[in-house]
Amino acid sequence: MVDAIFNGLVVGTSSYALSQLQPSESPFLFTACAMGLCHGLLSLYGNIMEGSSNSENAATYPGPSDSMVRRLQSLTESCVEIASVPLINMDFYLRSQQSSPLAMGHGLFVIPLMVDLSWQLFSGNQNGNGTETLKELNTLGNIVSLVFLSVNEGNLAYGIMAVSALMAQYGPMIMENSLRGSGANTALIGYSLFFALIPAALSDGGQQTA
C-alpha cells in the first residue's frame, strides 16, 4: 500500500509536467516525463496486482502476466534512471543562450542505456559491474552538468532538480542502511520532486533568457 502511494506520486507529478508541455516545443522534456509516467503506471499496476494476489492467497510463483509486468517495470526503471536527467539537460541546454552548443553532448546517454537494456534482455536481468559503473558515471556526470547550468543561468529550480536527481540515485543506498525497505521509496520521492519542478524550471528559464 505504501509503495502504491509513492508510485502514485510519480504518476501525478509526471502527468502534471506533461500537461504543461508541448511535444513540439519541448520534445526531450516530454519524452522524459512520458517515461516517468509509464514507469509509475506499471509500478502502480504491479502494486495493485500484488495486493490483490496476497488478499486472495494466490500461488507464490507469479504467472506469465506478472512476469511480463515485472520485466517491463525493470526496463522502464532503467530508462528513467539513465535517460531522464540527460534528456532534460538537452532541452534545458538548448534553451540556454550561453551553453546551447553543449546540448547534444548529453545524447551520449544512449550508450549506457543500450548496454543496460541489452544486459537485461540477453543476460537474465543481471547487470555486470561495468554496466553499473557506466550507468553511475552517466547519471553523476549529468547531475553535475545540471548544477553547472543552474549556476550559469541563475536558475534555482535547476539546482533543486539536480539535488532531487542525486537523491533518487544515491538516496536509496543511504536510506536502506538506516531503514530497511525504504530505499525504493526514497528513489520515488526524488523522481516525484524532479518531475514536479519541470514547469517551474521552464518558467524561471524563460524569465532568464527573455
Side-chain angles (χ1 to χ4, degrees), residues 7-22:
N7 281 309
L9 282 176
V10 175
V11 171
T13 55
S14 57
S15 298
Y16 167 69
L18 280 172
S19 71
Q20 304 298 309
L21 298 172
Q22 294 294 330

Side-chain angles (χ1 to χ4, degrees), residues 10-202:
V10 175
V11 171
T13 55
S14 57
S15 298
Y16 167 69
L18 280 172
S19 71
Q20 304 298 309
L21 298 172
Q22 294 294 330
S24 58
E25 296 177 3
S26 308
F28 302 116
L29 283 171
F30 193 89
T31 301
C33 293
M35 289 191 306
L37 177 60
C38 289
H39 177 60
L41 287 172
L42 280 170
S43 299
L44 189 59
Y45 175 77
N47 295 147
I48 294 171
M49 292 301 294
E50 183 179 354
S52 63
S53 296
N54 291 338
S55 64
E56 295 171 5
N57 296 319
T60 303
Y61 298 101
S65 60
D66 296 323
S67 178
M68 179 62 70
V69 169
R70 293 185 188 208
R71 175 61 65 88
L72 289 174
Q73 258 183 268
S74 180
L75 293 176
T76 55
E77 182 179 12
S78 289
C79 289
V80 171
E81 181 182 351
I82 297 172
S84 57
V85 184
L87 282 171
I88 284 170
N89 272 340
M90 289 172 73
D91 224 311
F92 286 167
Y93 269 82
L94 284 173
R95 294 168 185 273
S96 169
Q97 293 181 349
Q98 304 177 59
S99 308
S100 57
L102 302 175
M104 292 306 161
H106 296 87
L108 293 174
F109 79 88
V110 170
I111 297 173
L113 178 62
M114 293 304 298
V115 171
D116 186 67
L117 294 181
S118 297
W119 268 100
Q120 291 196 53
L121 290 172
F122 303 112
S123 301
N125 205 31
Q126 297 295 321
N127 292 335
N129 292 332
T131 305
E132 289 298 329
T133 301
L134 193 59
K135 287 167 59 178
E136 289 186 10
L137 288 174
N138 168 77
T139 304
L140 186 59
N142 275 278
I143 290 173
V144 171
S145 183
L146 187 54
V147 171
F148 165 77
L149 188 63
S150 173
V151 174
N152 199 35
E153 296 289 312
N155 190 316
L156 179 61
Y158 289 173
I160 300 175
M161 288 181 69
V163 172
S164 65
L166 197 65
M167 175 183 174
Q169 181 68 19
Y170 299 105
M173 291 184 290
I174 298 172
M175 290 301 298
E176 196 67 31
N177 292 329
S178 304
L179 183 62
R180 183 171 296 276
S182 63
N185 291 333
T186 302
L188 292 173
I189 293 172
Y191 286 125
S192 297
L193 181 59
F194 185 76
F195 291 123
L197 285 167
I198 288 176
L202 287 178

